[in-house]
Every structure is written in C-alpha cells, then in structure tokens.
Amino acid sequence: MRIGLGYDLHRLQEGRELWLGGVKIPFEAGLLGHSDGDCLLHALIDALLGALGEGDIGQHFPNDDPRWAGVSSVKLLEEILALFQERHGKIINIDAVIIAERPRLQPYFPQLKLKLAGLLGIPPQRLNLKAKTSEGLGLIGGGQAMAAWVIALVELPNK
Ligand code: MG
C-alpha cells in the first residue's frame, strides 16, 4: 500500500469557463492556469504521483511547455494514469476536499463522482468528495481563488 497527497490552488478569473474534476460547472468565473486550471484534477494527479514516488505535476507537465497550453486537465490525468498502469498500480480509494466560496458544489457531486470514477476506472463508492468554504476569509473566501486537497491510497506491486 502507498499513500499520496496532492494540493492545488488556482486564481479565479471572470469570463473563463470553470472546469473542476473534468466537469464544466456553470459559473461567472473560471480557474486561471496554463492548462484549464482544474485544481481538483491537478491535486488528484499530485496525489497519484505522490503514491508512485514520481515527483509532482510541474515536473511532468512544465508550464512553459507549449504542448500543455490550454489543454484539458483530463488529458494530463490520462498521461499519469498510463504511467500508473505501467507500474501495475491499483487505486484503493480517493478522498478529496474542494475549497471554494462559490458556487455551491454539492449539487454537482453526483456528476463529478461519475466523471472521476470513470476516468480512474474505479467504482464511485471508492471516491469521496467534500466541499468547504473559507468562511469569507482570505483569497478563497473573497472569491479570488479555489483550492483542492486530494489523498489517494493505492496498491503497488513490491519492487
Ligand atoms: Mg494547478
């Protein structure tokens, strides 16, 4: 068994599409980034990389590399999942916390869980999502950013 932890934060910008967990969520602002800024998928990627002992997302997808400009983070996750498969990894469970003042994310959880479980090839009950606000405090509380924490427990063959 291995465990991996991921964290990410992106700035919110008005007029951008909001992509979270590979799902487009209707909102007046979206996450700014070299890719689509999907902080939930970026934290998930970092959690998987952590469990694999393979560094972090920035090492695999440098943000000065034009190949990853404006790309869907689903594509980035797929690249890391291919690496995970090469290593014969198996996901035991995933737990995630999304920190956002607005919009209310709970209504999108069923859709998000199906999307993420589908991408990861695990039953949705092995994936847990939680949403928190920042109680109006700081950059997240002021609606300037969103963040996510993800923890992944995986099984990897011994080597
Ligand atoms: Mg990121």
Side-chain angles (χ1 to χ4, degrees):
M1 297 280 190
R2 307 286 173 91
I3 196 162
L5 175 66
Y7 167 77
D8 196 27
L9 177 146
H10 279 258
R11 197 183 279 268
L12 275 165
Q13 192 181 67
E14 257 178 63
R16 265 179 81 92
E17 291 181 349
L18 176 59
W19 287 90
L20 209 56
V23 170
K24 190 176 162 185
I25 292 175
F27 191 50
E28 70 219 25
L31 297 167
L32 195 59
H34 184 60
S35 62
D36 58 10
D38 190 328
C39 63
L40 180 55
L41 287 189
H42 294 181
L44 174 60
I45 287 170
D46 265 355
L48 293 174
L49 286 171
L52 285 171
E54 288 286 349
D56 68 28
I57 190 169
Q59 284 170 249
H60 292 263
F61 311 107
N63 62 15
D64 55 0
D65 187 335
R67 268 186 306 164
W68 313 118
V71 83
S72 161
S73 297
V74 167
K75 173 83 186 123
L76 308 184
L77 177 64
E78 282 168 352
E79 296 269 332
I80 296 307
L81 286 172
L83 177 66
F84 195 71
Q85 244 118 58
E86 258 173 51
R87 300 271 295 271
H88 305 287
K90 186 178 167 234
I91 294 168
I92 305 298
N93 75 306
I94 301 277
D95 192 20
V97 185
I98 309 161
I99 313 157
E101 206 64 20
R102 284 188 322 122
R104 252 181 68 76
L105 296 171
Q106 216 89 37
Y108 300 100
F109 277 7
Q111 197 187 342
L112 269 166
K113 277 180 89 165
L114 276 180
K115 175 74 181 182
L116 290 170
L119 288 170
L120 296 168
I122 58 171
Q125 58 269 29
R126 285 178 179 253
L127 185 111
N128 191 65
L129 294 176
K130 303 191 280 298
K132 297 291 233 189
T133 70
S134 204
E135 299 275 331
L137 297 171
L139 294 175
I140 296 176
Q144 288 168 270
M146 268 187 199
W149 288 96
V150 175
I151 194 160
L153 184 66
V154 312
E155 210 177 308
L156 282 175
N158 273 329
K159 63 161 200 180

